[in-house]
Amino acid sequence: EIGLDIDERFNASVLAAPNRSDVPPQLNLNYRASELLNLQGSVDSLGAWQTQLQIFFRF
């Protein structure tokens, strides 16, 4: 995986598994809305996509 912080809230990365044809390369985008809320999305080279909303509870 290799990534780039675009700014304090956005980052992007590309994930690939060398020598594995059964695992397609994947592009990931991450948005940190606040200390408690994170939104992540990804799409692979086959067109499959997924999103994830993370909520952090700190105590």
Side-chain angles (χ1 to χ4, degrees), residues 2-46:
I2 187 165
L4 173 67
D5 289 335
I6 299 168
D7 64 18
E8 291 181 4
R9 294 182 178 254
F10 286 99
N11 69 38
S13 65
V14 175
L15 177 64
N19 302 322
R20 295 281 308 264
S21 61
D22 60 326
V23 180
Q26 184 177 30
L27 172 66
N28 302 305
L29 298 173
N30 193 15
Y31 174 66
R32 183 175 180 175
S34 70
E35 289 286 324
L36 301 175
L37 191 62
N38 191 43
L39 181 62
Q40 182 178 13
S42 65
V43 62
D44 67 19
S45 62
L46 299 176

